[in-house]
Amino acid sequence: TMVTLAAAGLLVLVAAIWGATNVLIKINWIDEKQPQHGEHTWSKLKSYLRFSLLAPLVLNKAASLLYYHALSLVPVSIGAPVVNSLTLVATLLASGLLGCAAPSRAELGACILVSAGATLCVLAGT
């Protein structure tokens, strides 16, 4: 099965969305004041239904639907490793862009190697 440019783009899009939303979910989860034991159930539910936490969660799940669609277009043996490895790259880059932690030189070098490996995986499937 040949990997089309559109399918490869979809895999990259899924990885980018997952990487960015991973960071946003972590930021908003940590910033949230966790409900105390014995606190009213409605107060607990409200704390989890904040837009700043819910929006990245919904976007992350929408990307999961795109992922399943992408896996119908490419072999799983190509799609899964490409998306998983590029998600790590996207998470690292999003973390740096959102002010969590600037990536080190070693991490940036790893990003380049992972991206090159993902590219080779896609090219091998064409």
Side-chain angles (χ1 to χ4, degrees):
T1 302
M2 194 165 123
V3 177
T4 64
L5 187 57
L10 196 55
L11 295 173
V12 171
L13 177 64
V14 167
I17 292 171
W18 278 351
T21 57
N22 285 344
V23 176
L24 290 171
I25 291 166
K26 180 181 176 188
I27 289 170
N28 289 305
W29 189 263
I30 290 171
D31 288 347
E32 172 60 24
K33 172 191 160 286
Q34 297 299 315
Q36 299 300 315
H37 179 69
E39 192 172 349
H40 190 269
T41 304
W42 179 247
S43 297
K44 289 180 182 180
L45 184 60
K46 276 191 338 188
S47 70
Y48 295 116
L49 292 179
R50 292 174 301 114
F51 181 78
S52 61
L53 181 59
L54 200 55
L57 283 169
V58 169
L59 188 57
N60 186 287
K61 295 307 155 200
S64 295
L65 293 175
L66 286 176
Y67 176 63
Y68 288 118
H69 175 64
L71 288 181
S72 73
L73 303 173
V74 299
V76 174
S77 61
I78 293 174
V82 167
V83 170
N84 289 335
S85 60
L86 291 180
T87 297
L88 293 173
V89 172
T91 301
L92 178 70
L93 297 177
S95 181
L97 289 172
L98 294 171
C100 294
S104 68
R105 283 183 176 206
E107 290 170 330
L108 290 174
C111 285
I112 291 168
L113 292 174
V114 167
S115 298
T119 302
L120 289 174
C121 230
V122 169
L123 291 176
T126 55

